[in-house]
Amino acid sequence: MCGRYANARRDADLVGAFGIEDVVGDEPAPSWNVAPTDDVRVVLERAPREEPEERPARQLRTVRWGLVPSWAKDASIGSRLINARSESVTEKPAFKAAAARRRCLVPADGYYEWEKLPSGGKQPYFLHGDGVLGFAGLYELWPDPSMDADDPARWWWTFTILTTRAGDALGHIHDRTPVVVPPAMAGDWLDPRLTKVSEVRAMIEAMPEPVLEPRPVGRAVGNVANNGPQLVERVEL
């Protein structure tokens, strides 16, 4: 699974890296320890609400980590849906609607995983590439039933990160890894007009294994209260 990641990039960096057309909402603070239920930037494409037939625009928008399906009775389910297995995402009731129409990219500098040590403890690793990564994600809009129907604030924007089997290069640390969308596939992944399940399935299966470097880091990342660039510095236990 992916339960912690880092995104210290500013909006200006993400606009250039992902070809953003519209920036929505205030810029969140950089974080080296993003945790479930945090509000973070994601990249998505949507047509104007009042003109749904227009060309979708690529947005940078703040969304909460932990997907709440539109049919959920309450938002608490989101804390259990931070990841979605890519192998079954087009079939599971919680994810299949979003997989067909509401795909996103989750910008990240890298993510954290823990490897069990022979001594019984765990060594945290920060897995990263050469630049900003785009994790494959899905997003949903959930209407808060406690708020008025005409109140725009009633809509919760939430997301989940897709995971896949880790290859030999990373599998010794953990058996799952986030799906990383290469730049050449980002346009199709984000396109809300691509809705055929068979095409989405084929796109997921065509995602190449990410080339990531694992860096041992300190145990401080295990506490969500800790933050800062020191969390990604090399520490071997």
Side-chain angles (χ1 to χ4, degrees):
M1 64 177 294
C2 173
R4 296 285 178 79
Y5 72 93
N7 179 22
R9 308 279 174 152
R10 309 308 294 162
D11 279 1
D13 298 325
L14 299 178
V15 166
F18 292 97
I20 301 299
E21 298 170 81
D22 296 329
V23 177
V24 182
D26 295 333
E27 180 176 23
S31 178
W32 289 264
N33 199 2
V34 178
T37 74
D38 283 354
D39 292 330
V40 297
R41 289 300 210 190
V42 304
V43 179
L44 55 89
E45 291 187 0
R46 288 178 70 84
R49 184 177 180 181
E50 63 279 3
E51 298 177 297
E53 300 304 318
E54 290 294 310
R55 180 185 67 84
R58 188 167 297 187
Q59 301 178 357
L60 184 66
R61 177 184 284 270
T62 300
V63 182
R64 178 170 294 189
W65 189 10
L67 188 136
V68 181
S70 60
W71 44 259
K73 293 182 179 180
D74 61 71
S76 64
I77 192 175
S79 63
R80 304 193 301 275
L81 299 179
I82 64 169
N83 291 156
R85 295 177 69 91
S86 61
E87 297 88 343
S88 58
V89 75
T90 56
E91 303 165 2
K92 295 291 185 179
F95 306 121
K96 62 181 183 180
R101 299 179 183 276
R102 289 177 290 278
R103 299 178 296 273
C104 64
L105 293 174
V106 183
D109 296 312
Y111 72 101
Y112 299 96
E113 200 54 83
W114 284 256
E115 180 184 25
K116 293 182 179 179
L117 299 174
S119 62
K122 292 184 178 182
Q123 169 72 65
Y125 283 88
F126 180 63
L127 298 102
H128 62 96
D130 293 331
V132 62
L133 305 172
F135 296 154
L138 309 175
Y139 73 95
E140 271 288 8
L141 282 79
W142 179 74
D144 187 340
S146 68
M147 302 182 70
D148 292 338
D150 58 352
D151 188 342
R154 76 188 293 253
W155 291 98
W156 287 45
W157 292 70
T158 62
F159 76 95
T160 188
I161 294 173
L162 270 63
T163 67
T164 187
R165 299 180 185 90
D168 292 342
L170 304 177
H172 70 286
I173 297 175
H174 197 273
D175 62 345
R176 304 291 296 181
T177 184
V179 175
V180 178
V181 181
M185 299 181 70
D188 287 339
W189 179 255
L190 292 174
D191 191 348
R193 297 166 296 190
L194 194 160
T195 60
K196 290 185 178 179
V197 172
S198 59
E199 294 181 358
V200 175
R201 181 78 261 149
M203 186 164 40
I204 292 173
E205 292 173 355
M207 296 285 181
E209 180 180 346
V211 179
L212 302 175
E213 178 182 344
R215 178 194 304 157
V217 296
R219 290 184 175 138
V221 69
N223 185 337
V224 296
N226 295 327
N227 212 322
Q230 71 278 4
L231 295 182
V232 300
E233 294 177 357
R234 179 176 293 273
V235 177
E236 298 197 39
L237 303 177

